[in-house]
Amino acid sequence: AQSVSQHNHHVILSEAASLELGCNYSYGGTVNLFWYVQYPGQHLQLLLKYFSGDPLVKGIKGFEAEFIKSKFSFNLRKPSVQWSDTAEYFCAAQMGFKTIFGAGTRLFVKA
Amino acid sequence: EPEVTQTPSHQVTQMGQEVILRCVPISNHLYFYWYRQILGQKVEFLVSFYNNEISEKSEIFDDQFSVERPDGSNFTLKIRSTKLEDSAMYFCASSEGKTEQYFGPGTRLTVT
């Protein structure tokens, strides 16, 4: 079955802490992978994407993600979070014509 | 920068009424999508549309839903007879090909 799972539903960090959000997908074919962010009251914004090539991709706002094909994973990282990173983060996998989203991870960064 | 737009931003309707949610995709995009997000839940795929026909749809997209590209610029989602459980944020998206999808700001549908 096609699915995307995110390991953490809620994460609380202090400013300057490092962040890693886990994401695994289940699909037998080729996937395009994404991380989206949704700030409170706003719509989905693309953080970064992976289609092919270098499995370490860099996105906006200092975020990066690593695609590990053998683990079907696409984890999101940021070395030092800021209060403004408080938001919900969605991992997504594009499989054919549709994109499957994970359940999301709510990140709260304490100032 | 081009963006996907959606109207209205908030729609309130009574159970059993028909609603039409409107989207204007990015102009050179050929693929169009609808997703929904029930409050507190994840974003769910509803339907994709290409070359004037549905290319894929989910189990959620039953006979009460329909999509249309009536005039070459708008892309609409119609819900024929709304139910309470249709209350959600509905996102339109578009893409050039099987590439990244650009999302609109969403329409919050409230069914009372």
Side-chain angles (χ1 to χ4, degrees):
Chain A
Q2 301 166 349
S3 66
V4 174
S5 58
Q6 292 182 236
H7 308 162
N8 315 95
H9 295 295
H10 296 274
V11 173
I12 301 174
L13 295 172
S14 297
E15 274 195 314
S18 65
L19 170 72
E20 179 158 2
L21 302 182
C23 172
N24 287 89
Y25 67 92
S26 173
Y27 183 62
T30 302
V31 295
N32 296 327
L33 296 162
F34 309 87
W35 275 96
Y36 289 90
V37 61
Q38 189 174 32
Y39 296 103
Q42 297 188 28
H43 61 95
L44 292 164
Q45 297 176 37
L46 181 68
L47 271 180
L48 47 78
K49 61 189 178 188
Y50 173 79
F51 290 167
S52 64
D54 189 344
L56 184 62
V57 292
K58 295 191 184 300
I60 62 172
K61 306 185 187 214
F63 287 91
E64 64 179 34
E66 184 175 12
F67 170 56
I68 303 179
K69 189 174 181 179
S70 60
K71 295 184 179 181
F72 298 90
S73 70
F74 190 57
N75 292 354
L76 180 72
R77 298 195 291 251
K78 185 171 184 177
S80 176
V81 295
Q82 301 170 312
W83 176 80
S84 57
D85 293 325
T86 293
E88 187 157 17
Y89 293 81
F90 293 93
C91 179
Q94 186 175 7
M95 307 168 185
F97 283 107
K98 65 183 177 184
T99 298
I100 306 291
F101 283 78
T105 297
R106 287 184 188 272
L107 171 66
F108 179 72
V109 180
K110 297 183 291 186
Chain B
E1 186 177 332
E3 57 183 22
V4 176
T5 59
Q6 290 185 241
T7 54
S9 57
H10 192 188
Q11 174 89 47
V12 181
T13 189
Q14 289 189 326
M15 198 165 50
Q17 296 296 304
E18 174 184 286
V19 294
I20 297 175
L21 309 183
R22 291 182 167 78
C23 168
V24 178
I26 294 172
S27 62
N28 64 330
H29 286 185
L30 301 176
Y31 295 78
F32 315 110
Y33 313 84
W34 283 102
Y35 293 81
R36 78 172 185 191
Q37 185 180 26
I38 295 171
L39 187 63
Q41 298 186 25
K42 65 179 178 181
V43 178
E44 300 172 292
F45 169 78
L46 292 178
V47 66
S48 59
F49 190 85
Y50 169 70
N51 201 24
N52 282 319
E53 60 183 29
I54 291 173
S55 44
E56 194 157 2
K57 62 182 181 179
S58 71
E59 294 170 350
I60 303 166
F61 195 86
D62 60 22
D63 291 344
Q64 70 159 341
F65 291 94
S66 62
V67 288
E68 194 178 28
R69 189 154 161 80
D71 56 13
S73 63
N74 289 284
F75 179 53
T76 62
L77 174 70
K78 182 192 289 186
I79 309 175
R80 257 179 276 285
S81 177
T82 50
K83 301 184 282 234
L84 293 175
E85 53 265 38
D86 293 327
S87 294
M89 181 74 90
Y90 288 81
F91 293 102
C92 173
S94 70
S95 66
E96 284 186 76
K98 289 185 184 180
T99 54
E100 69 188 89
Q101 296 170 17
Y102 291 81
F103 285 81
T107 293
R108 183 172 296 284
L109 176 65
T110 302
V111 182
T112 61

